[in-house]
Amino acid sequence: MHLTLDTEFATLKQVLVHRPGREIDRLTPYNKHLLLFEDVPYLEEMQREHDVFTQLIREKCGAEVYYFDQLLEDILEDNEVRSNLIREALAVSRLGHLSDELLGVLTQEQCVQALIAGIKVHEVRGRMSAAALSDLLDLAFLIPPCPNLYFQRDTAAILPGGMIFSSMRLDQRQRESNMVRQIFENHPLFKDKIHQIYPRTTHNNTPSIEGGDVIILSNKAVAIGCSERTDEKAVYHVAKNLIADGLIERVYEIHLPKKRNFMHLDTVFTILDKNRVLTYPDALQAVQHISVYTRKEENSEQVNIKRKVLKKNLREVLRMEIPYLEIIGTDKVSQEYALREQWFDGANVFTTGPGQVISYNRNKHTNKALKDYGVEVLEMPSSELSRGLGGPRCMSMPIAREAVV
């Protein structure tokens, strides 16, 4: 059986997360923008907040939580996988030629930390040859850190038809997706269950798509945001592959403003249960246009798809796909508070079961709106995790949910 998900809201069974670690301590006021962060968080508090997050998942949902670093350590037992990942990580700094020597001085556990938190020259000086490091400054990174890794949703997506491995817009983040891909392709838990939807080629110019832009509307329809992080060409290729495989009939391409606060489609809306959706109204109205891909009726063996620009807004499209739709928004919240909570991903809640979500406690007006509609809101602390500008949905990649009855 392939790994597939047919819904965004069925009771969660398994999820992949990454608990923030030493990679966060690599951030400074001077390198934070280079490492794609807006601020310099306090690691210990981030970890405490993340522990509450995973505790809620276990205790309130009964779901199994997989940790990225533990799965990565498992696959690094394979020498070839370990060598490939270290070489790729060094290549980012144009130091791929040092891979054999670095592998000779790192244990398996140290390789895990090097891949996640990076490694500086002074941390291996004296263990590697002086000639190899002679031109490098002590504080320079041999391998740069991955502080955005706790946003596991960005790296991949599981759909009714199989898996998308993200082609990240920003080069600094591509290693995150590559490591997740290596886990799914090599870990005994997953390696025999992968049907890859995208990418199906390995060339270097793969159009970008990120997991936060992918939302399952039903077992026959998927919405993909065409955002600052996801290309129109990627949406086309995903749509063609999904429709050709025969499990998905409609793929909606939803064009978003190329702005930071609309980074992914899941900042605009998230699905709460079979007929309720949470939105941020201004974001809903900011959607520029929508197209739909469907199968072109032909007699040839080759599957072709057609694209139609819709004369409908997002609200109308959602009503087409979600019967008896109720839209929960922050319409009654003052504009000042609504803007604050959108910035901290108020609409980016993580649905753990029908009508049950995990939400940042700082988004109190959004949470009140949800509770007023009968949604169970599991609040988590968020002062430090939110500094990365991503919500609970961003931090979680569901692997399995219960079947929808």
Side-chain angles (χ1 to χ4, degrees):
M1 292 290 291
H2 294 147
L3 284 177
T4 60
L5 285 174
D6 292 338
T7 173
E8 296 277 346
F9 63 83
T11 301
L12 185 71
K13 292 173 65 179
Q14 297 174 341
V15 66
L16 175 63
V17 302
H18 173 61
R19 185 177 189 261
R22 192 180 175 210
E23 69 278 4
I24 299 297
D25 273 347
R26 301 292 202 182
L27 291 163
T28 72
Y30 307 102
N31 70 13
K32 62 185 173 68
H33 290 301
L34 182 65
L35 295 171
L36 309 177
F37 244 74
E38 304 282 340
D39 208 342
V40 181
Y42 173 39
L43 173 59
E44 284 75 9
E45 181 61 19
M46 283 186 89
Q47 291 176 326
R48 186 186 76 80
E49 293 170 0
H50 198 273
D51 289 344
V52 173
F53 177 54
T54 52
Q55 183 180 4
L56 286 172
I57 291 173
R58 290 192 188 93
E59 294 183 359
K60 298 293 185 178
C61 317
E64 186 171 9
V65 177
Y66 293 118
Y67 285 94
F68 171 87
D69 61 334
Q70 295 172 2
L71 298 179
L72 181 64
E73 184 170 2
D74 290 343
I75 67 168
L76 290 188
E77 292 180 4
D78 184 307
N79 290 335
E80 183 177 356
V81 172
R82 183 163 68 248
S83 178
N84 288 342
L85 284 173
I86 290 292
R87 184 178 296 108
E88 176 190 65
L90 286 166
V92 173
S93 305
R94 296 185 173 87
L95 297 172
H97 60 285
L98 298 180
S99 60
D100 289 342
E101 189 167 354
L102 183 60
L103 283 164
V105 302
L106 297 180
T107 65
Q108 182 177 326
E109 184 178 352
Q110 288 170 336
C111 282
V112 174
Q113 285 305 305
L115 290 169
I116 295 174
I119 191 165
K120 290 185 175 181
V121 172
H122 75 85
E123 293 167 344
V124 290
R125 199 178 287 282
R127 292 194 287 160
M128 292 178 64
S129 69
L133 305 176
S134 59
D135 297 328
L136 302 174
L137 298 174
D138 272 1
L139 293 179
F141 284 109
L142 288 175
I143 295 174
C146 295
N148 289 280
L149 196 55
Y150 75 96
F151 296 127
Q152 278 293 297
R153 180 77 63 154
D154 293 351
T155 61
I158 302 177
L159 300 174
M163 283 199 74
I164 292 171
F165 293 109
S166 298
S167 175
M168 308 296 276
R169 166 72 74 187
L170 302 171
D171 291 341
Q172 299 97 310
R173 296 198 63 192
Q174 187 56 45
R175 278 203 309 117
E176 298 171 39
S177 179
N178 292 350
M179 288 190 285
V180 167
R181 182 172 176 172
Q182 288 289 330
I183 285 171
F184 278 93
E185 291 182 344
N186 292 283
H187 200 284
L189 287 170
F190 312 118
K191 66 179 183 179
D192 296 324
K193 301 177 182 179
I194 303 304
H195 176 61
Q196 187 171 320
I197 298 165
Y198 187 87
R200 287 187 173 171
T201 61
T202 55
H203 58 75
N204 294 327
N205 297 316
T206 305
S208 66
I209 186 170
E210 298 190 0
D213 272 318
V214 182
I215 295 181
I216 303 164
L217 299 179
S218 72
N219 61 355
K220 297 295 181 184
V222 170
I224 302 178
C226 193
S227 65
E228 70 167 17
R229 299 293 176 91
T230 293
D231 287 337
E232 196 172 315
K233 287 183 179 178
V235 180
Y236 166 80
H237 287 298
V238 170
K240 186 172 182 179
N241 294 342
L242 280 171
I243 292 169
D245 287 347
L247 291 174
I248 290 292
E249 296 175 357
R250 297 171 300 283
V251 175
Y252 292 93
E253 177 184 277
I254 301 175
H255 286 255
L256 304 175
K258 304 294 193 279
K259 295 181 180 179
R260 174 66 182 82
N261 54 327
F262 303 110
M263 181 185 292
H264 292 130
L265 186 59
D266 63 8
T267 65
V268 176
F269 78 94
T270 49
I271 295 175
L272 307 174
D273 58 27
K274 65 181 180 181
N275 63 354
R276 287 186 290 185
V277 168
L278 171 65
T279 72
Y280 170 63
D282 282 2
L284 198 68
Q285 294 159 14
V287 170
Q288 295 165 330
H289 62 272
I290 302 172
S291 300
V292 62
Y293 287 99
T294 54
R295 187 179 185 126
K296 186 183 292 184
E297 295 300 330
E298 293 184 355
N299 294 324
S300 64
E301 292 183 3
Q302 183 178 355
V303 172
N304 293 301
I305 61 173
K306 58 184 178 181
R307 178 175 179 266
K308 179 183 178 182
V309 178
L310 299 177
K311 296 180 181 180
K312 297 179 182 293
N313 59 34
L314 181 54
R315 192 182 300 264
E316 291 170 317
V317 167
L318 291 175
R319 289 190 187 282
M320 287 166 47
E321 292 293 341
I322 303 174
Y324 312 108
L325 176 68
E326 286 185 71
I327 294 181
I328 303 173
T330 51
D331 311 66
K332 298 178 182 179
V333 176
S334 73
Q335 184 70 4
E336 181 180 358
Y337 284 125
L339 287 170
R340 282 174 55 86
E341 297 195 2
Q342 167 64 4
W343 183 252
F344 290 107
D345 294 286
N348 190 263
V349 297
F350 179 37
T351 303
T352 51
Q356 182 189 72
V357 302
I358 298 177
S359 178
Y360 283 162
N361 60 357
R362 69 182 305 145
N363 294 321
K364 58 184 181 180
H365 298 282
T366 302
N367 293 344
K368 182 179 184 305
L370 288 166
K371 291 173 185 176
D372 287 347
Y373 274 85
V375 176
E376 183 184 4
V377 180
L378 309 175
E379 295 189 4
M380 60 173 287
S382 55
S383 63
E384 297 301 310
L385 287 171
S386 63
R387 291 179 189 268
L389 298 185
R393 187 180 193 275
C394 291
M395 294 193 299
S396 54
M397 189 171 74
I399 296 172
R401 292 182 183 269
E402 289 184 4
V404 177
V405 179

